[in-house]
Amino acid sequence: MSQRVRSAWLFLAPMLAVLAAAAGWPLARTVYFSFTDASLSDLDARQWAGLANYVSVLRMPSGRVIYDGLLLDPVWWGAVWNTVRFAVVSVTCETILGMVVALVLNAEFPGRGIVRAAILIPWAIPTIVSAKMWQWMLNDQFGIINVVLINLGLIDHKIAWTASADTAMAAVLIIDIWKTTPFMALLILAALQMLPREIIEVARLDGANPWQIFWRVTLPLIRPAVMVAVIFRVLDALRIFDLIYVLTPNNAHTKSMSVFARENLFEFDKFAYGSAASTLLFLILALLTILTIRIGRISLDGGR
């Protein structure tokens, strides 16, 4: 066993070295910059600033006390709320819809192979391409979505879906759900394909109806695969950037943590402040991932 463990570490060593160089070192530098006053125009002139980027207290000669820092920034907490709300709604809808699609694709019917290939098209389209495509369709002047809804009598005037504060988040969610539901369906379908048919047949012979078979037999058996898919999607949704940046780049109602960090890092020339936002983003991702693993009771070592 000890020889097998040493062999495993030997094979993993190159991957761990590349991962440390590609992810570990930049992450460590980002955390370090968050404790400085670094500016993108001159990183070498940085000075140690401690926790000033996270929270700072400034006492004016008049006696007035000013509190500042990322932890007290309402724009940052607005971005956190937008990101968490986006992740919860999108992952929930994608999991439910993905389960429905996977159950349909798991059934026997003519042309199932063609349908399986077609359902993956939204997921295969690059995010930037799909975002621009939907941006044109949602355009308030010549977008086809407004034309269809007006002709159906569902709305009486054209709506600026990505510009309006009331509909911007809904538009982003619809596009993300449309694009990523096939990913969830693919993972759940793979789990369904691994289920032994004998168990389903025995449950059916015992008189269980389709809902009881799904709730009592199928779902418990595929739950580990579903939870792994949910974790992947939660991580991806919490660091959402490209879709929001293309569709609603300057909308405070959809601004995510990644967009906030990017703005401060490069557009506002507040490199240290943006590094602090990136560090908090990493910590929030790690915390929510651990909570998801705990709530889902997932064993990462393959045990029960």
Side-chain angles (χ1 to χ4, degrees), residues 201-221:
E201 293 298 330
V202 170
R204 188 177 289 112
L205 291 175
D206 286 341
N209 58 48
W211 172 253
Q212 290 174 329
I213 293 176
F214 169 75
W215 190 254
R216 298 290 186 179
V217 179
T218 303
L219 188 58
L221 291 175

Side-chain angles (χ1 to χ4, degrees), residues 25-149:
W25 175 244
L27 176 62
R29 292 279 289 176
T30 300
V31 175
Y32 166 73
F33 282 130
S34 69
F35 293 102
T36 67
D37 60 353
S39 173
L40 186 62
S41 58
D42 190 1
L43 290 177
D44 295 331
R46 61 185 179 274
Q47 299 292 330
W48 183 261
L51 297 174
N53 291 310
Y54 296 95
V55 60
S56 63
V57 180
L58 178 62
R59 298 185 181 275
M60 304 296 291
S62 61
R64 179 188 175 190
V65 179
I66 300 177
Y67 299 92
D68 196 10
L70 186 65
L71 296 177
L72 302 175
D73 191 343
V75 179
W76 162 253
W77 288 113
V80 172
W81 165 243
N82 291 337
T83 307
V84 173
R85 180 178 55 168
F86 170 85
V88 171
V89 176
S90 64
V91 174
T92 301
C93 293
E94 289 159 9
T95 303
I96 296 174
L97 294 176
M99 180 71 71
V100 174
V101 172
L103 290 172
V104 172
L105 295 180
N106 192 49
E108 297 286 346
F109 59 89
R112 184 176 64 170
I114 298 176
V115 176
R116 284 182 175 182
I119 202 70
L120 294 176
I121 292 177
W123 181 53
I125 299 176
T127 304
I128 299 298
V129 176
S130 60
K132 293 301 293 184
M133 177 182 68
W134 277 91
Q135 189 178 47
W136 282 99
M137 292 194 297
L138 292 171
N139 187 275
D140 58 325
Q141 298 298 321
F142 44 77
I144 191 174
I145 301 297
N146 280 319
V147 174
V148 171
L149 293 179

